[in-house]
Amino acid sequence: MFKGSIVAIVTPFKNGKFDEKAYGDLIQWHIKEGTSAIVPCGTTGESATLEYDEHYRVIQVAIEAANKKVPIIAGTGANATEETIKMTKEAQKLGADASLLVCPYYNKPTQEGLYRHYKAVAEAVDIPIVLYNVPGRTALNMLPQTVARLAEIKNIVAIKEATGDMKQVSEVIRLCGDKIAVISGDDFTTFPLMLLGGSGVISVTANVMPKDMAQMCALTAAGKIDEARAIHYKLDILNAAMFIETNPIPVKTALAMMGMIAEEFRLPLCEMSKPNRDKLKDILSSYKLI
């Protein structure tokens, strides 16, 4: 479940509401293109602007659309432990295969507080848990020693590592061995992270080029390094384009240009500036995506 190209899927909106039809179509496309698993309600899914009922509905639609063809790893992290437990229990009840839990943001707990947070959630549910370390969003770095402590807990089985720091990734892998799967949280680090011993990526870029991302991960895992490296460099410009502005603005704009979803966001996110939009359009054209 925790290997290969896992898409951090967007949440399409239409006239202010969750667009279930577009969402289901995206998931069917990902299954055909070789995506290994789906993450609903992550950062790319605009989870911060979903109401509780919407959050659960997005997870439920993902589970129903995937129909057990690929696993669903539901984003249920929050900055309060009780809230995280509540949402993770609901995701388990709905039938999610695992849960992705971002480090508690804004309140900046200590490493001991982080450990107790994840331990409390793990003890409250039975499904596998994926830790999510993204200091750029949370203002908090989960240190390798803390990851190693958490890896001793039975149902904490993976970490999405989005520091972009290969030294830290290397230390996590050295300390944890095979007790935890290490997954890239930044598309541009997927190839080097897998060479260090990581198992794949939770990807933004896979939203628009799922087949290529899946192939790169499969080739790297199979030891076909030269072929994988070629795809890594092929995707390099697109990976950067997905962060011309705050994620998920570029990726949703790209999917709208590709005719797959409506170009709609929730405030405080808004449409791209014209210069960046033009730049993104040129890049998508160069990849023959539009």
Side-chain angles (χ1 to χ4, degrees), residues 66-87:
N67 195 25
K68 300 190 182 301
K69 292 175 183 174
V70 295
I72 300 299
I73 305 169
T76 57
N79 65 336
T81 303
E82 286 303 316
E83 183 183 3
T84 303
I85 290 171
K86 174 185 174 181
M87 291 197 294

Side-chain angles (χ1 to χ4, degrees), residues 76-289:
T76 57
N79 65 336
T81 303
E82 286 303 316
E83 183 183 3
T84 303
I85 290 171
K86 174 185 174 181
M87 291 197 294
T88 308
K89 281 184 173 180
E90 186 64 26
Q92 177 176 323
K93 189 192 305 182
L94 290 169
D97 298 285
S99 176
L100 176 70
L101 302 183
V102 69
C103 286
Y105 43 86
Y106 187 75
N107 40 18
K108 298 176 75 172
T110 63
Q111 296 298 307
E112 179 62 26
L114 266 181
Y115 174 79
R116 295 186 192 185
H117 168 79
Y118 282 113
K119 182 174 183 287
V121 181
E123 289 173 348
V125 298
D126 298 323
I127 57 174
I129 287 171
V130 182
L131 311 173
Y132 180 13
N133 189 31
V134 56
R137 292 271 185 177
T138 64
L140 171 72
N141 185 20
M142 180 160 46
L143 297 178
Q145 293 77 13
T146 303
V147 179
R149 288 180 72 194
L150 289 167
E152 298 297 328
I153 298 171
K154 183 179 178 181
N155 58 330
I156 295 180
V157 297
I159 180 169
K160 178 183 177 183
E161 237 298 335
T163 59
D165 182 349
M166 291 301 99
K167 185 176 184 298
Q168 178 156 325
V169 167
S170 183
E171 190 171 359
V172 168
I173 293 171
R174 178 178 64 80
L175 289 173
C176 298
D178 61 0
K179 292 178 182 175
I180 198 166
V182 180
I183 306 165
S184 172
D186 295 298
D187 283 294
F188 74 95
T189 69
T190 303
F191 179 62
L193 182 140
M194 289 189 71
L195 292 180
L196 285 171
S199 61
V201 61
I202 295 179
S203 172
V204 177
T205 300
N207 277 281
V208 296
M209 288 188 73
K211 184 177 288 185
D212 289 79
M213 189 60 70
Q215 287 177 341
M216 187 187 76
C217 291
L219 289 166
T220 309
K224 297 180 179 179
I225 304 306
D226 290 343
E227 294 171 63
R229 184 186 294 110
I231 299 176
H232 166 76
Y233 283 116
K234 174 186 176 182
L235 293 174
D236 199 36
I237 293 172
L238 185 63
N239 289 339
M242 294 298 97
F243 294 89
I244 293 173
E245 291 187 9
T246 302
N247 177 49
I249 295 170
V251 68
K252 290 191 86 173
T253 304
L255 285 169
M257 289 179 180
M258 293 164 66
M260 304 190 80
I261 65 171
E263 187 178 337
E264 191 169 322
F265 311 91
R266 282 195 174 165
L267 288 171
L269 298 184
C270 64
E271 68 277 1
M272 295 183 78
S273 67
K274 188 177 187 307
N276 283 336
R277 183 186 177 86
D278 291 343
K279 188 184 297 184
L280 177 64
K281 187 175 181 180
D282 288 343
I283 291 169
L284 295 177
S285 295
S286 74
Y287 281 93
K288 297 182 171 54
L289 292 171

Side-chain angles (χ1 to χ4, degrees), residues 27-28 31-32 35-37 63 65-72 97:
I27 289 171
Q28 296 307 316
I31 292 168
K32 290 176 185 175
T35 295
S36 298
I63 292 166
N67 195 25
K68 300 190 182 301
K69 292 175 183 174
V70 295
I72 300 299
D97 298 285

